[in-house]
Amino acid sequence: MLPELLQSTKIFHLLHRIDIDLADKQQKVGCPYCGSSLHYSNYKRQPRGGPDLPESLYIRLSFCCSRENCRRRTLPNSTLFMDRRVYFRVVILIITTLGQNKPQEYSKNMLSNLLGSSRKTITRWLAYFREIFPRSRTWKKIRGIVNPTVLNQALPGSLVEYYLKHIPSVEGAIIDCLRLLTTGSPTVKTMG
Ligand SMILES: [Zn+2]
């Protein structure tokens, strides 16, 4: 079940492994500004909402350009971290999905208890997915490859539901969904 996933350390480890692969790919491509090679320049974050995890999972993988006159930072895609938000991406995805798809079962009060956060935070996330995300470049890139039954006005719940229907394990569905949202490339046939 979805809420239980938030307590599973396994999914965080799997996402971390995906992030390492995504970073490797970025390193092979090189600096997006000048094409020079990239050096790791990771930093620590304090993401909230997950179970107790080893320190290595609180590291945001990051690069610095090796060229003297560039030295710019490049953040590879991450399934664990969502921009500068303080909660793990998977936590935001699950909480907003529960709030959207099962509002009777999961009121904002229940969700904020489950998360140990304020209702305001949850309201903000829901507003982001309702108003900003459907118009984002990321979603526009993904929209064309996603099944038409996934509704723009019911994100991310509608997308998660689609994955839950087509992938046998809840964990696998959430991971694939996060991978799609992060990289824009599907791991399963999303057109149905
Ligand atoms: Zn550079």
Side-chain angles (χ1 to χ4, degrees), residues 48 86-87 92 95-96 112 115 117-127:
R48 295 187 209 154
V86 288
Y87 286 85
I92 297 173
I95 295 290
T96 47
S112 79
L115 192 63
S117 79
S118 67
R119 286 176 45 140
K120 241 196 213 158
T121 304
I122 294 161
T123 305
R124 219 173 40 229
W125 292 344
L126 286 166

Side-chain angles (χ1 to χ4, degrees), residues 31-38 65-67 70-72:
C31 174
Y33 305 102
C34 74
S36 301
S37 56
L38 293 170
C65 179
S66 62
R67 194 168 72 101
C70 179
R71 294 269 186 249
R72 287 164 92 170

